Amino acid sequence: MSRARVRQVALLETRTAYEQYATTLPWSAGPMPGWESDKQLHSTYVSAKPDSPGYTEEQAAEVSRFQAELRRLSIEVVTHPYWQSLAGPDLVEARMVLRHAHESTEDEAA
């Protein structure tokens, strides 16, 4: 597996882990009061949010860690020397193949 592919797979795995972690967090990073909107015209839907206690220090540190790792991996993927050897349609095709690198990894694991 090429180094660019390894980094792309790591980027996708880190992004997935971050998104899963984010679902456990309060809706607001800082303490915020909840709210409820008015009923929408031609609908019975009323949007609302409960009070948010904000992130704990540990949650904020974990979010920062994930974001730093995502930036680092993104930079490594985008600036990999391999991309300098391609141009035009070949570059587009190679980037599309790399975007789907995690799919072949999943197939190999199955």
Side-chain angles (χ1 to χ4, degrees), residues 15-16 41 58 66 73 101:
R15 180 67 187 180
T16 298
L41 184 62
E58 293 81 16
F66 269 120
L73 289 167

Side-chain angles (χ1 to χ4, degrees), residues 2-95:
S2 73
R3 293 183 76 163
R5 184 173 175 202
V6 168
R7 285 179 173 82
Q8 179 69 24
V9 170
L11 175 61
L12 292 170
E13 289 172 350
T14 303
R15 180 67 187 180
T16 298
Y18 176 55
E19 288 172 354
Q20 288 174 346
Y21 181 70
T23 64
T24 68
L25 298 172
W27 64 267
S28 173
M32 295 282 291
W35 51 267
E36 185 173 305
S37 70
D38 295 333
K39 182 179 107 34
Q40 300 298 309
L41 184 62
H42 306 296
S43 172
T44 59
Y45 180 72
V46 176
S47 62
K49 291 279 187 193
D51 290 346
S52 173
Y55 295 175
T56 64
E57 288 182 24
E58 293 81 16
Q59 290 170 327
E62 187 67 1
V63 166
S64 293
R65 186 193 67 75
F66 269 120
Q67 290 173 341
E69 181 69 2
L70 288 167
R71 273 191 303 276
R72 184 186 69 77
L73 289 167
S74 296
I75 290 167
E76 287 181 14
V77 168
V78 171
T79 62
H80 193 277
Y82 173 69
W83 304 120
Q84 301 301 319
S85 68
L86 301 169
D90 294 335
L91 177 61
V92 173
E93 178 63 26
R95 287 211 184 259

